[in-house]
Amino acid sequence: MAGLKRLSTGIPEVDKLLAGGIPEGFLVAITGEPGTGKTVFCIHFIAQGIRERDKCVYVTTEESRESILRQAAQFGFGFEEALDNGLLIVIDALTGAEDRWSLRALDVEALVDKVIEAKKELGRGRGRLVIDSMSAFWLDKPAMARKYSYFVKKVLARWGFTTLAVSQYAIT
C-alpha cells in the first residue's frame, strides 16, 4: 500500500522481508513455541524504538522486569538508560511486585489501564508496545483469546501504539 508508514523492527533482514517494517498503528501477533526467539525479536523492536525516540512500553507476563533488562543488556541495548530518560516503561505482570509499574493480577482491563497510564507518563509521540505474552491472559479461558486480543487492539490503537502481541503455542 502506497504511503503506508512502516516502523523498523531493528533487524534489517526482517525489515526487508516486511517491505520496510511493521505498518505503523498495526497490532501484529508474534507466535511460536517456547524458545523460538519471540522475546528477543520484541527486545529488538523496542530497542529500535528507543533509537528513534519513540515512547516504548514493554509488558512482560512470563519473565520479570529484571530479566527483560538483563536480556536487552546482553545485546548492548540501553534499556536502563531509556527508563531513566523517559523513553521506556517496563510493566511487570509476572512477579506481582508492589510498585507503580507492576500488575497484581492478569486481567486484560487492568493491563490496558496500566498501558494507558504508562503512555500518559511517557508523553506525546509515536508509541511502540510489546505484550509478552498475551497467552498468559487466557490460560484459564482459551476461548477468550480472540475477544481479549480485539479489546486490546481496539482500545490501545487510539493511543498511537504499534503493537507486538506475543502468543505461545506448543505442538504437544
Side-chain angles (χ1 to χ4, degrees), residues 20-83:
I22 295 171
E24 186 172 0
F26 277 44
L27 181 146
V28 176
I30 307 297
T31 304
E33 293 184 61
T36 56
K38 299 177 301 294
T39 296
V40 171
F41 182 81
C42 290
I43 287 171
H44 276 79
F45 177 72
I46 292 296
Q48 183 65 30
I50 291 166
R51 283 191 289 275
E52 294 181 18
R53 310 292 295 170
D54 291 342
K55 307 302 183 176
C56 300
V57 179
Y58 196 114
V59 179
T60 178
T61 65
E62 303 195 11
E63 299 186 43
S64 68
R65 177 184 298 121
E66 290 71 28
S67 175
I68 297 300
L69 297 176
R70 198 169 34 254
Q71 288 180 65
Q74 289 177 334
F75 290 100
F77 300 147
F79 279 22
E80 295 273 1
E81 184 179 335
L83 289 168

Side-chain angles (χ1 to χ4, degrees), residues 7-172:
L7 302 186
S8 172
T9 64
I11 305 169
E13 297 82 1
V14 173
D15 289 346
K16 186 175 179 183
L17 290 171
L18 297 174
I22 295 171
E24 186 172 0
F26 277 44
L27 181 146
V28 176
I30 307 297
T31 304
E33 293 184 61
T36 56
K38 299 177 301 294
T39 296
V40 171
F41 182 81
C42 290
I43 287 171
H44 276 79
F45 177 72
I46 292 296
Q48 183 65 30
I50 291 166
R51 283 191 289 275
E52 294 181 18
R53 310 292 295 170
D54 291 342
K55 307 302 183 176
C56 300
V57 179
Y58 196 114
V59 179
T60 178
T61 65
E62 303 195 11
E63 299 186 43
S64 68
R65 177 184 298 121
E66 290 71 28
S67 175
I68 297 300
L69 297 176
R70 198 169 34 254
Q71 288 180 65
Q74 289 177 334
F75 290 100
F77 300 147
F79 279 22
E80 295 273 1
E81 184 179 335
L83 289 168
D84 294 339
N85 292 333
L87 292 172
L88 172 65
I89 291 175
V90 180
I91 298 171
D92 186 330
L94 173 70
T95 63
E98 294 290 327
D99 64 55
R100 181 176 181 197
W101 300 118
S102 292
L103 284 180
R104 285 156 197 70
L106 287 175
D107 173 77
V108 173
E109 289 183 14
L111 164 74
V112 167
D113 290 345
K114 189 61 74 174
V115 169
I116 290 169
E117 180 184 347
K119 183 65 165 77
K120 287 178 180 177
E121 177 79 14
L122 293 169
R124 294 187 181 271
R126 187 171 66 189
R128 290 181 187 230
L129 170 64
V130 165
I131 304 172
D132 185 6
S133 91
M134 285 293 296
S135 302
F137 292 92
W138 59 68
L139 281 175
D140 58 342
K141 301 179 209 96
M144 299 297 285
R146 176 87 173 124
K147 181 178 180 178
Y148 288 166
S149 299
Y150 180 74
F151 175 75
V152 167
K153 177 182 178 178
K154 181 179 157 188
V155 175
L156 295 180
R158 295 183 221 145
W159 288 89
F161 282 112
T162 301
T163 303
L164 298 184
V166 174
S167 68
Q168 292 196 49
Y169 71 86
I171 300 286
T172 57

